Amino acid sequence: MKLLKKGMICIVPFFAIFVFWLNLGEPLSASAKRIEVITEPRPINPAVYWWQEDKGDFKAQNFYGEVRAENNDGRRDELARPKQTAVPNKVNLRDYPMPDTFHNVDDVFDTYSASEVKGIEALNPEWDTESNGVEYIGVSKSITLGHYLDFSVKTGAGLQPSDVTVYGHNEDGLPKLTIKYDVKMTVQWKGYIDDGDDKDPEPIEACSIEFLLEGDGASQKSSLIQPTPSGSISSDSGEFDVIQGIPSSEYLRADAQSEEYLYEQDFVQKKGKTVFNNVNASKEFTLTWTTSKTDSKGNVTYTDHEENVTKKVAVSGIERPFSYWEIIKYNIWKLTHSEFTNYALSNEFLRIDAMTNVTADGKHSDNVEDHVFPPECPKIELPSETIDGGSSKPSVPDITDEATAAAEAEIGENEVENDRAEFKGSVIMDDTRTTTDGPTPSDIPAPGMIQMSATGLLIDPLKTNYWQSPSTGKVFYEPVFSIDGSASSKDFPFDVNPVTVHTPVVIYSRASDDKEHDQRIKPPLRSTPPNPDQDRHAFILDRPFTVSLPTGGQHRNIPGYGNRDYSKYIKMKQVMFPFDVYTATKQGFYPANTWISVPVDMETVEFFLPVWVPEKQYTIQFRAFAINALTGGDFGGSEHHANITIPNPAYNVPPAGNLSAAHVAIDSIQVDVVGRLYDFHVTDISDYNWKSVFRQGDGVTPTNNSYWVGLNGIDGAPRGNTNPFVMPVRHGSHPNGLQNVAVKTGYKFRFDMKTKGDMESINDAIRIKPTFYHVTSDGKKRQAVDLYYHDDNNYFVKIGSDKDKTYRTVALNETMRNVPKNEITNNALHYYNFADRFNLKETTSQYYETAFARYYARYMSKEPVQTGPYGWQIQNWKLRTYRGPLATQVPPNTMVPPKEIVTKEQTWYGEYSLPAKLYVVPQNANIQEAGRVGMLNENHPLFLKDGFIIVNFDIETINEGDLNNPYLSYYKAHYMSQWTNMEGFKSSFVDGYGNTFNLQEGDVIFYHADQSSLDDFKSSITH
């Protein structure tokens, strides 16, 4: 039993018990017996946990480290299982509830409380017969150190788990499982009971050993319980600076680092001594002496005496020193994982497991008896001694000193055991039994840093822009071992940089500028080089045009952005025209103000401009959608050219709010829709020498010959006509080989030309300004001239002067003009339906539609129309026909009502002649002065008589009666000449005599300077 005396512990073993009357020399013997006890088999339930990783395989964490297993069949649902794999493990059975009752191994009814049992150890581990082979397969099992169960079991595919839990998802959204397999087993516990045979005698004080703790010696105390974690989120490719910006659909990487483990270590050296008291010593003495006796006779007789005496003594105060190391605190935590939060991460969360292998174990007792093991109390028998007392009985001497010396020599050194501490497979505090002093423990080494990285972290392409979305980071530590159970899980935050999700989108749009067909006299001037943000482009009616929606251009000057192609971040490009358009092949039609989607990989798209689009200024809109643009509303905001402004407070886009950026890039281009003036040709000449060119033998039926500006059509492609049917009409132009035949003055020539565009109103017209040249018969001298004629009231009237008032009248629908009947019908129907536009309401009200069409063809279209004097000509609406597409030939949803589209292409009919009697003088010659010098008659040397007079037409369109601002010109446009550039007018020709004649744009016809219609008709006419 244990006796506590002033802080000292005494141990009194049973073999040293004596009764009170020990001094009488009659010992009472006492003996002890040991009873072996055991428990019934008790259930224990360790388990194997499998954790599924991102790619689908599994890992199990055990006492010895990590075991990996492949996914058995590659499934990625809740039926996924690891391949059947053996997992070794080690558990401390003391962590399980201990039994309350033990029984005698020989008698189950002889029971004892667990508190009475000493030397408790585990034994006989057994597999659960119902579970083995169903939930697991037992491989091996054993008990070590009396309370550790070492075992190995197979788990996985084919065996029944006790629990399956989805603990997360990978970046593809596939579940990750935790699979638990319970390992049901049983184990027994054994121990012993020390009991005496005779329990009645009272113990007596005998040899005792006291343990005296004298205080703490050395100490080894250190700790690291505050790690220094750090981490960052960056671009996986390294291309981007994520703080400034990284596009959605790109990949991130996350990196964290922290100490592999944390620890608290407090090891103290306990120092003290054991004191042996009441060490029993005995010594046998033989006492001898001789006594004499004198009798009455005086005789002395001697008697020898001998007596055996046992001298007993108890020696105390024999000391033996000891020291051992005790664990005051021993806590170990291992780094398990790190966690990140950020908007850019999948589910805004990331966990990265730490690959560590930290193990620890230990045992501890604060009871000195568990650390110090003194030698047994000796029973000292000193050497026997005989003492001769001579004549008297000697006394027995004190044997204390001798006994003390003998005890000092007899009693050995203490044995000691430290507490035990293990760390990562190494013993840092050794509990091996040693003599006197326990070995000094080692310190826990400083931990190294563990790197935790995750790569290939896709930013969801649909995540909207977010300026410097905040991040958080934490590292987590779980207790591996705690000697006193005080350790609990820990987590520590660390700073992580923000991430800016900014998906770039650009649209630096372009459009073709059809300057080569822009016939405007005063167009807006273009930049050199072209500037699409400032220039007004020209789109020409009834012609193709292109728009470009490049996916490249300048964005923010930060890593990964700049001036580059951004197609991978653009999900859609669109263009919207505020006017109707066709596709390039005219197979598709888009009404005005329709957003037209263009494939992202297509930069330039060709469209076709319908002829009915009104001529005016327009703005074409372009937009490109980032892949993360919203699907409705303002789509997450827009910005001109590129969404470079971030944060952009103009938009509130969840979840970033005002810290977002636009998600659409927009652009616009200013365009002018411009019409055409073309296809001028001479269709008839009244000169009899030319009649056969235009009329068949009956003098009426047309040959369909006409003289065009050149050999090309409206856009420069070959028209199909051949020489000599090109302008000017001249000597050598006659197809019948009449090399010297030009046209005689006084004969008229008919012509027509075409326009496209807004030339359909009552105030639209064609204006022709003639100018005149004289050229000698050999073509060597050409000069500008003035022409004079006599009228009924004046002599020498200059063409183009104020006195030039001989007005020409022209009828539209005359026989020799051959106006197509369908164009006459088009006119009639349009005038009928829109009579108020042409002041015809009073007339049309008298007819039904078909009757009015007949009336128009028979009468109205044949009425003479005054076109002007020799110096200028105006073809007004009455000399115009409509030849555009009919309502049945266009889509039903055009921006212009379909039945009005017929008016968007026009033909203008006219005729011209020179007076039969002409006076030709060099330009600006003073004819009045010439008259004063000499007789002014037709023989005056001032007049040019031989050679040819060239009539040159300057042709312009007049919109809405604005004579001061003509709109289109046939050859005096700012950027091009339809006459030459497109229709192929030649600047010279060689006549049949080898003479070269230089020509000018606008040259229409050669008149003989010395031949007149008067030569054919001996009557005087002026036209």
Side-chain angles (χ1 to χ4, degrees):
M1 60 182 176
K2 300 177 182 177
L3 302 176
L4 302 179
K5 297 181 180 179
K6 296 182 180 179
M8 299 184 294
I9 302 174
C10 293
I11 299 178
V12 183
F14 285 106
F15 62 78
I17 297 176
F18 294 89
V19 295
F20 174 75
W21 22 268
L22 173 64
N23 292 334
L24 299 179
E26 293 185 23
L28 175 65
S29 65
S31 63
K33 67 177 181 179
R34 176 170 290 184
I35 300 172
E36 302 291 330
V37 292
I38 198 167
T39 67
E40 294 297 323
R42 293 181 60 82
I44 59 172
N45 194 26
V48 174
Y49 286 83
W50 288 99
W51 296 80
Q52 192 172 21
E53 300 180 301
D54 285 347
K55 294 184 179 178
D57 291 338
F58 291 80
K59 67 178 180 181
Q61 196 77 27
N62 62 15
F63 180 84
Y64 298 99
E66 193 175 84
V67 176
R68 291 186 174 272
E70 296 178 354
N71 191 322
N72 184 61
D73 53 7
R75 298 178 71 114
R76 289 313 304 266
D77 55 19
E78 293 188 20
L79 296 178
R81 298 293 183 267
K83 285 189 176 180
Q84 198 174 107
T85 305
V87 178
N89 210 344
K90 181 177 184 177
V91 297
N92 188 345
L93 294 174
R94 289 178 178 169
D95 293 337
Y96 291 87
M98 297 297 291
D100 297 323
T101 304
F102 289 67
H103 64 79
N104 192 313
V105 294
D106 298 320
D107 183 0
V108 297
F109 298 103
D110 183 15
T111 62
Y112 298 86
S113 171
S115 62
E116 299 177 86
V117 180
K118 300 179 180 179
I120 295 176
E121 293 183 349
L123 75 162
N124 297 334
E126 295 294 339
W127 311 116
D128 181 80
T129 57
E130 292 182 1
S131 300
N132 188 13
V134 177
E135 298 179 14
Y136 67 92
I137 297 174
V139 178
S140 63
K141 58 187 185 306
S142 62
I143 301 294
T144 59
L145 298 178
H147 62 92
Y148 283 99
L149 171 62
D150 284 286
F151 68 98
S152 176
V153 294
K154 287 186 178 179
T155 55
L159 297 170
Q160 179 178 335
S162 56
D163 187 39
V164 177
T165 302
V166 176
Y167 79 91
H169 295 79
N170 69 1
E171 64 185 16
D172 296 322
L174 299 176
K176 298 192 292 185
L177 307 180
T178 301
I179 305 176
K180 177 185 178 186
Y181 294 86
D182 285 327
V183 183
K184 298 176 181 177
M185 299 178 67
T186 61
V187 69
Q188 289 180 278
W189 295 89
K190 69 175 183 175
Y192 62 88
I193 301 291
D194 280 337
D195 198 8
D197 291 331
D198 188 353
K199 302 179 181 178
D200 294 330
E202 291 294 329
I204 63 172
E205 188 172 1
C207 179
S208 66
I209 304 173
E210 293 180 287
F211 294 78
L212 296 178
L213 288 172
E214 298 174 335
D216 295 342
S219 68
Q220 291 183 195
K221 186 175 183 179
S222 65
S223 65
L224 176 64
I225 57 173
Q226 184 67 45
T228 57
S230 62
S232 66
I233 300 175
S234 60
S235 163
D236 195 11
S237 66
E239 182 180 2
F240 303 96
D241 175 355
V242 302
I243 297 176
Q244 298 188 71
I246 184 171
S248 65
S249 79
E250 290 292 344
Y251 292 88
L252 298 170
R253 67 172 292 150
D255 296 279
Q257 66 171 8
S258 191
E259 285 77 1
E260 182 183 13
Y261 51 85
L262 306 178
Y263 64 92
E264 285 183 300
Q265 169 194 315
D266 189 358
F267 299 161
V268 175
Q269 186 183 43
K270 298 293 184 179
K271 303 187 76 171
K273 60 186 175 181
T274 53
V275 180
F276 292 78
N277 294 317
N278 297 320
V279 178
N280 295 301
S282 63
K283 186 168 184 174
E284 293 291 332
F285 286 92
T286 301
L287 303 178
T288 62
W289 71 93
T290 301
T291 61
S292 63
K293 185 176 182 182
T294 304
D295 60 15
S296 61
K297 295 179 180 181
N299 296 318
V300 180
T301 56
Y302 292 94
T303 302
D304 291 329
H305 299 275
E306 183 176 296
E307 182 181 336
N308 290 322
V309 177
T310 300
K311 180 70 172 180
K312 296 190 178 194
V313 70
V315 177
S316 296
I318 305 300
E319 297 179 356
R320 291 293 181 263
F322 64 79
S323 71
Y324 62 88
W325 287 84
E326 184 179 325
I327 298 173
I328 305 303
K329 188 178 288 291
Y330 182 47
N331 293 330
I332 303 295
W333 296 264
K334 72 174 180 179
L335 177 64
T336 58
H337 66 283
S338 58
E339 290 180 356
F340 291 82
T341 66
N342 184 270
Y343 166 72
L345 297 171
S346 177
N347 298 318
E348 301 187 15
F349 175 81
L350 173 68
R351 170 184 170 135
I352 310 176
D353 290 334
M355 296 296 106
T356 59
N357 183 19
V358 180
T359 59
D361 198 5
K363 67 177 182 176
H364 162 68
S365 174
D366 58 5
N367 190 344
V368 68
E369 296 178 62
D370 292 332
H371 293 283
V372 181
F373 305 94
E376 297 289 340
C377 274
K379 185 176 182 181
I380 299 173
E381 293 183 359
L382 298 173
S384 61
E385 182 179 343
T386 299
I387 301 175
D388 185 1
S391 60
S392 62
K393 182 179 178 178
S395 59
V396 178
D398 185 3
I399 64 170
T400 299
D401 290 343
E402 184 181 2
T404 298
E408 285 285 0
E410 180 72 18
I411 296 174
E413 298 296 325
N414 292 311
E415 291 185 339
V416 294
E417 290 183 7
N418 293 337
D419 279 349
R420 182 176 181 85
E422 297 178 7
F423 181 74
K424 296 187 76 170
S426 298
V427 176
I428 61 171
M429 182 182 287
D430 194 346
D431 64 348
T432 300
R433 187 169 293 189
T434 58
T435 301
T436 305
D437 297 311
T440 301
S442 304
D443 284 324
I444 298 172
M449 301 298 285
I450 293 295
Q451 303 293 325
M452 294 164 282
S453 298
T455 60
L457 305 174
L458 174 69
I459 304 174
D460 186 339
L462 299 181
K463 286 205 168 183
T464 52
N465 300 326
Y466 196 150
W467 170 254
Q468 295 194 352
S469 60
S471 305
T472 66
K474 276 187 180 181
V475 290
F476 293 80
Y477 288 83
E478 292 293 331
V480 174
F481 181 80
S482 179
I483 200 71
D484 58 1
S486 64
S488 60
S489 299
K490 294 177 179 289
D491 59 80
F492 303 91
F494 59 87
D495 292 333
V496 183
N497 57 277
V499 176
T500 296
V501 176
H502 188 193
T503 305
V505 60
V506 300
I507 185 74
Y508 291 90
S509 58
R510 300 286 185 270
S512 58
D513 184 4
D514 206 353
K515 292 191 296 184
E516 294 81 2
H517 296 84
D518 185 354
Q519 293 179 254
R520 286 178 293 178
I521 298 170
K522 295 179 180 180
L525 300 182
R526 274 64 148 199
S527 306
T528 303
N531 184 338
D533 291 328
Q534 296 181 3
D535 294 347
R536 295 198 66 86
H537 297 60
F539 283 6
I540 308 303
L541 289 174
D542 213 27
R543 274 191 52 76
F545 66 91
T546 62
V547 291
S548 296
L549 295 80
T551 54
Q554 181 64 44
H555 206 271
R556 297 170 64 203
N557 284 316
I558 61 173
Y561 291 70
N563 196 330
R564 54 165 289 190
D565 180 73
Y566 291 98
S567 58
K568 68 183 293 187
Y569 309 119
I570 298 174
K571 70 177 176 182
M572 183 168 60
K573 302 186 300 186
Q574 291 183 326
V575 59
M576 183 174 72
F577 303 103
F579 44 78
D580 298 344
V581 295
Y582 279 111
T583 59
T585 60
K586 295 188 181 181
Q587 298 301 305
F589 174 75
Y590 297 102
N593 300 311
T594 300
W595 281 110
I596 303 169
S597 294
V598 176
V600 174
D601 59 355
M602 180 183 292
E603 179 169 326
T604 299
V605 189
E606 183 174 302
F607 294 94
F608 193 89
L609 189 64
V611 74
W612 62 81
V613 173
E615 291 185 72
K616 63 178 183 178
Q617 296 178 345
Y618 295 94
T619 299
I620 304 173
Q621 303 290 340
F622 300 83
R623 64 187 184 186
F625 293 80
I627 56 176
N628 62 346
L630 302 183
T631 57
D634 64 358
F635 307 104
S638 58
E639 189 170 356
H640 185 241
H641 280 333
N643 61 336
I644 60 175
T645 303
I646 186 169
N648 190 337
Y651 302 106
N652 190 311
V653 183
N658 292 330
L659 295 178
S660 189
H663 295 73
V664 180
I666 59 173
D667 199 4
S668 62
I669 290 181
Q670 307 296 317
V671 299
D672 294 333
V673 169
V674 181
R676 303 295 299 272
L677 170 61
Y678 66 103
D679 273 6
F680 180 90
H681 62 144
V682 173
T683 59
D684 188 49
I685 299 174
S686 61
D687 188 333
Y688 291 101
N689 290 332
W690 293 85
K691 182 177 181 179
S692 63
V693 176
F694 301 99
R695 304 291 163 186
Q696 297 183 19
D698 60 4
V700 176
T701 304
T703 62
N704 294 324
N705 289 329
S706 60
Y707 288 83
W708 302 87
V709 171
L711 296 176
N712 299 330
I714 182 173
D715 292 322
R719 180 188 299 280
N721 60 308
T722 58
N723 288 318
F725 296 105
V726 293
M727 290 184 191
V729 180
R730 55 178 176 80
H731 63 291
S733 291
H734 202 291
N736 297 332
L738 303 177
Q739 295 296 322
N740 61 347
V741 174
V743 180
K744 297 173 186 175
T745 58
Y747 285 116
K748 62 186 177 184
F749 61 94
R750 297 182 178 90
F751 57 85
D752 62 66
M753 69 199 80
K754 298 182 178 67
T755 53
K756 297 177 188 280
D758 294 343
M759 291 288 289
E760 75 273 23
S761 80
I762 192 172
N763 293 317
D764 294 330
I766 299 292
R767 180 169 67 186
I768 298 175
K769 294 188 292 185
T771 54
F772 311 103
Y773 297 88
H774 178 269
V775 62
T776 57
S777 298
D778 58 6
K780 292 181 178 180
K781 184 177 180 180
R782 174 179 174 139
Q783 60 180 320
V785 295
D786 293 329
L787 302 184
Y788 289 83
Y789 68 95
H790 305 318
D791 64 14
D792 294 339
N793 300 314
N794 297 284
Y795 289 98
F796 294 107
V797 175
K798 181 180 177 181
I799 292 179
S801 69
D802 293 340
K803 294 182 179 181
D804 181 18
K805 297 184 181 296
T806 303
Y807 283 85
R808 179 180 304 282
T809 58
V810 179
L812 171 66
N813 189 17
E814 65 168 301
T815 302
M816 295 303 180
R817 203 172 299 284
N818 301 310
V819 178
K821 291 183 179 180
N822 68 303
E823 294 183 15
I824 296 297
T825 301
N826 292 344
N827 278 16
L829 295 178
H830 184 70
Y831 294 155
Y832 186 84
N833 289 317
F834 300 94
D836 53 337
R837 298 179 184 178
F838 301 92
N839 302 319
L840 294 175
K841 195 68 177 177
E842 184 176 343
T843 303
T844 58
S845 64
Q846 303 176 39
Y847 298 92
Y848 291 112
E849 185 177 68
T850 54
F852 177 76
R854 289 193 296 272
Y855 170 75
Y856 175 78
R858 292 175 181 175
Y859 301 105
M860 285 184 63
S861 64
K862 296 181 181 293
E863 293 175 355
V865 177
Q866 193 175 79
T867 60
Y870 291 111
W872 54 267
Q873 291 283 293
I874 292 289
Q875 274 75 54
N876 67 13
W877 66 281
K878 293 182 179 181
L879 296 177
R880 173 190 63 203
T881 59
Y882 298 130
R883 57 179 184 82
L886 302 178
T888 57
Q889 297 172 321
V890 298
N893 52 343
T894 54
M895 64 188 295
V896 173
K899 66 180 181 179
E900 294 188 45
I901 291 177
V902 67
T903 68
K904 294 300 183 175
E905 291 185 77
Q906 310 86 17
T907 304
W908 303 82
Y909 294 91
E911 62 184 46
Y912 190 75
S913 66
L914 291 179
K917 184 65 175 179
L918 269 181
Y919 300 92
V920 183
V921 300
Q923 191 175 53
N924 298 323
N926 193 331
I927 193 170
Q928 289 79 10
E929 182 64 25
R932 285 194 294 270
V933 173
M935 179 67 69
L936 188 62
N937 56 38
E938 58 196 43
N939 296 317
H940 194 285
L942 178 65
F943 299 128
L944 304 174
K945 296 184 178 298
D946 65 341
F948 304 97
I949 301 168
I950 305 173
V951 177
N952 183 285
F953 277 0
D954 179 7
I955 306 172
E956 303 168 329
T957 65
I958 303 298
N959 289 137
E960 296 299 332
D962 188 357
L963 294 172
N964 295 322
N965 294 289
Y967 186 51
L968 303 182
S969 172
Y970 215 117
Y971 61 85
K972 289 185 177 180
H974 183 84
Y975 284 112
M976 61 88 67
S977 166
Q978 179 70 21
W979 195 276
T980 300
N981 299 151
M982 292 298 130
E983 297 184 27
F985 177 74
K986 299 298 183 182
S987 61
S988 66
F989 70 89
V990 178
D991 67 9
Y993 307 104
N995 299 312
T996 299
F997 288 77
N998 292 319
L999 302 175
Q1000 294 182 10
E1001 290 182 312
D1003 288 352
V1004 174
I1005 195 167
F1006 276 41
Y1007 278 95
H1008 288 288
D1010 56 356
Q1011 296 184 33
S1012 169
S1013 61
L1014 298 177
D1015 299 334
D1016 297 328
F1017 300 93
K1018 298 305 181 180
S1019 61
S1020 176
I1021 59 174
T1022 60
H1023 60 277

Coordinates of all heavy atoms in Angstrom, one line a residue, residues 406-439:
A406 N 27.1 -2.1 5.4 CA 26.7 -3.2 4.6 C 25.5 -2.8 3.7 O 25.5 -3.2 2.5 CB 26.3 -4.4 5.5
A407 N 24.6 -2.0 4.3 CA 23.4 -1.6 3.5 C 23.9 -0.7 2.3 O 23.4 -0.8 1.2 CB 22.4 -0.9 4.3
E408 N 24.8 0.2 2.6 CA 25.3 1.0 1.5 C 25.9 0.2 0.4 O 25.8 0.5 -0.8 CB 26.4 2.0 2.1 CG 25.8 3.1 2.9 CD 25.2 4.2 2.0 OE1 25.2 4.1 0.8 OE2 24.7 5.2 2.6
A409 N 26.6 -0.9 0.8 CA 27.3 -1.7 -0.2 C 26.3 -2.6 -0.9 O 26.4 -2.9 -2.1 CB 28.4 -2.5 0.5
E410 N 25.2 -3.0 -0.2 CA 24.3 -3.9 -0.7 C 23.3 -3.3 -1.7 O 22.9 -3.9 -2.7 CB 23.6 -4.6 0.4 CG 22.6 -5.7 0.0 CD 23.2 -7.0 -0.5 OE1 24.4 -7.2 -0.3 OE2 22.6 -7.7 -1.2
I411 N 22.8 -2.1 -1.3 CA 21.7 -1.5 -2.1 C 22.3 -0.9 -3.4 O 23.2 -0.1 -3.3 CB 21.0 -0.4 -1.2 CG1 20.3 -1.1 0.0 CG2 20.0 0.3 -2.1 CD1 19.7 -0.1 1.0
G412 N 21.6 -1.3 -4.5 CA 22.1 -0.9 -5.8 C 21.5 0.5 -6.2 O 20.9 1.2 -5.4
E413 N 21.7 0.9 -7.4 CA 21.3 2.2 -7.9 C 19.8 2.0 -8.4 O 19.4 0.9 -8.8 CB 22.1 2.7 -9.1 CG 23.6 2.9 -8.7 CD 23.7 4.1 -7.7 OE1 22.9 5.0 -7.7 OE2 24.6 3.9 -6.8
N414 N 19.1 3.1 -8.4 CA 17.8 3.2 -9.0 C 17.8 3.0 -10.5 O 18.8 3.4 -11.2 CB 17.1 4.5 -8.7 CG 16.8 4.7 -7.3 OD1 16.2 3.9 -6.6 ND2 17.2 5.9 -6.8
E415 N 16.8 2.4 -11.1 CA 16.5 2.4 -12.5 C 15.4 3.4 -12.8 O 14.5 3.5 -12.0 CB 16.2 1.0 -13.0 CG 17.3 0.0 -12.9 CD 17.0 -1.4 -13.5 OE1 15.8 -1.7 -13.6 OE2 17.9 -2.1 -13.9
V416 N 15.5 4.0 -13.9 CA 14.5 5.0 -14.2 C 14.0 4.9 -15.7 O 14.7 4.3 -16.5 CB 15.1 6.5 -14.1 CG1 15.4 6.7 -12.6 CG2 16.3 6.7 -15.0
E417 N 12.8 5.4 -15.9 CA 12.2 5.5 -17.2 C 11.7 6.9 -17.4 O 10.9 7.4 -16.6 CB 11.1 4.4 -17.4 CG 11.6 3.0 -17.5 CD 10.4 2.1 -17.7 OE1 9.3 2.5 -18.0 OE2 10.6 0.8 -17.7
N418 N 12.0 7.5 -18.5 CA 11.4 8.8 -18.9 C 10.0 8.5 -19.4 O 9.6 7.4 -19.7 CB 12.2 9.4 -20.1 CG 13.5 9.9 -19.7 OD1 13.8 10.1 -18.5 ND2 14.4 10.0 -20.7
D419 N 9.2 9.6 -19.5 CA 8.0 9.5 -20.4 C 8.5 9.3 -21.8 O 9.7 9.4 -22.1 CB 7.3 10.9 -20.4 CG 6.4 11.0 -19.2 OD1 6.2 10.1 -18.5 OD2 5.9 12.2 -19.0
R420 N 7.6 8.9 -22.7 CA 8.0 8.6 -24.1 C 7.4 9.6 -25.0 O 6.2 9.9 -24.9 CB 7.6 7.2 -24.5 CG 8.1 6.7 -25.9 CD 7.7 5.3 -26.2 NE 8.2 4.9 -27.5 CZ 9.4 4.4 -27.8 NH1 10.3 4.4 -26.8 NH2 9.7 4.1 -29.0
A421 N 8.2 10.0 -26.0 CA 7.7 10.9 -27.0 C 8.3 10.5 -28.4 O 9.5 10.4 -28.5 CB 8.0 12.4 -26.7
E422 N 7.4 10.3 -29.3 CA 7.8 10.0 -30.7 C 7.4 11.1 -31.6 O 6.3 11.7 -31.4 CB 7.2 8.7 -31.1 CG 7.6 7.5 -30.3 CD 6.9 6.2 -30.8 OE1 6.2 6.2 -31.8 OE2 7.0 5.2 -30.1
F423 N 8.2 11.3 -32.6 CA 7.9 12.4 -33.6 C 8.4 12.0 -35.0 O 9.6 11.7 -35.1 CB 8.5 13.7 -33.2 CG 8.1 14.8 -34.2 CD1 6.8 15.4 -34.2 CD2 9.1 15.3 -35.1 CE1 6.5 16.4 -35.1 CE2 8.7 16.3 -36.0 CZ 7.4 16.8 -36.0
K424 N 7.4 11.8 -35.9 CA 7.8 11.5 -37.3 C 8.7 10.2 -37.4 O 9.7 10.2 -38.1 CB 8.4 12.6 -38.1 CG 7.5 13.8 -38.2 CD 8.1 14.9 -39.1 CE 8.1 14.5 -40.6 NZ 8.4 15.6 -41.4
G425 N 8.3 9.2 -36.5 CA 9.0 7.9 -36.6 C 10.3 7.9 -35.7 O 10.9 6.8 -35.7
S426 N 10.6 9.0 -35.1 CA 11.8 9.0 -34.3 C 11.5 9.2 -32.9 O 10.5 9.9 -32.5 CB 12.8 10.2 -34.8 OG 13.2 10.0 -36.1
V427 N 12.2 8.6 -32.0 CA 12.0 8.8 -30.5 C 12.8 10.0 -30.1 O 14.0 10.0 -30.2 CB 12.5 7.5 -29.8 CG1 12.3 7.8 -28.3 CG2 11.6 6.3 -30.2
I428 N 12.1 11.0 -29.6 CA 12.8 12.2 -29.1 C 12.9 12.2 -27.6 O 13.7 12.9 -27.0 CB 12.1 13.5 -29.6 CG1 10.7 13.6 -29.2 CG2 12.2 13.5 -31.1 CD1 10.1 14.9 -29.5
M429 N 12.0 11.4 -26.9 CA 12.2 11.2 -25.5 C 12.1 9.7 -25.3 O 11.0 9.1 -25.5 CB 11.1 11.9 -24.6 CG 11.3 11.7 -23.1 SD 10.1 12.5 -22.1 CE 10.6 14.2 -22.3
D430 N 13.2 9.1 -24.9 CA 13.3 7.6 -24.8 C 12.9 7.1 -23.4 O 13.4 7.6 -22.4 CB 14.8 7.2 -25.1 CG 14.9 5.8 -25.4 OD1 14.0 5.0 -25.2 OD2 16.0 5.4 -26.0
D431 N 12.0 6.1 -23.5 CA 11.6 5.6 -22.2 C 12.3 4.3 -21.8 O 11.8 3.5 -21.0 CB 10.1 5.4 -22.2 CG 9.6 4.3 -23.2 OD1 10.4 4.0 -24.1 OD2 8.5 3.9 -23.2
T432 N 13.4 4.0 -22.5 CA 14.2 2.8 -22.2 C 14.7 2.9 -20.8 O 15.1 4.0 -20.3 CB 15.4 2.7 -23.2 OG1 14.9 2.6 -24.5 CG2 16.2 1.5 -22.8
R433 N 14.6 1.8 -20.0 CA 15.0 1.9 -18.6 C 16.5 2.0 -18.5 O 17.3 1.3 -19.2 CB 14.5 0.6 -17.9 CG 14.8 0.7 -16.4 CD 14.0 -0.5 -15.7 NE 12.6 -0.3 -15.7 CZ 11.7 -1.1 -15.0 NH1 12.2 -2.0 -14.2 NH2 10.4 -0.9 -15.2
T434 N 16.9 3.0 -17.7 CA 18.4 3.2 -17.6 C 18.6 3.3 -16.0 O 17.7 3.3 -15.2 CB 18.8 4.5 -18.3 OG1 18.0 5.6 -17.7 CG2 18.6 4.4 -19.8
T435 N 19.9 3.4 -15.7 CA 20.3 3.5 -14.3 C 20.5 4.9 -13.9 O 21.2 5.7 -14.6 CB 21.7 2.7 -14.1 OG1 21.5 1.4 -14.5 CG2 22.1 2.8 -12.6
T436 N 19.8 5.3 -12.8 CA 19.9 6.6 -12.2 C 19.4 7.7 -12.9 O 18.5 8.4 -12.4 CB 21.4 6.9 -11.8 OG1 21.9 5.8 -11.0 CG2 21.5 8.2 -11.0
D437 N 19.9 8.0 -14.2 CA 19.4 9.2 -14.9 C 18.8 8.8 -16.3 O 19.4 8.0 -17.0 CB 20.6 10.1 -15.2 CG 21.2 10.6 -13.9 OD1 20.4 11.1 -13.0 OD2 22.4 10.6 -13.7
G438 N 17.6 9.3 -16.5 CA 17.0 9.1 -17.8 C 17.7 9.9 -18.9 O 18.2 11.0 -18.6
P439 N 17.8 9.4 -20.1 CA 18.5 10.1 -21.2 C 17.8 11.5 -21.5 O 16.6 11.6 -21.5 CB 18.5 9.2 -22.4 CG 17.3 8.3 -22.1 CD 17.2 8.1 -20.6

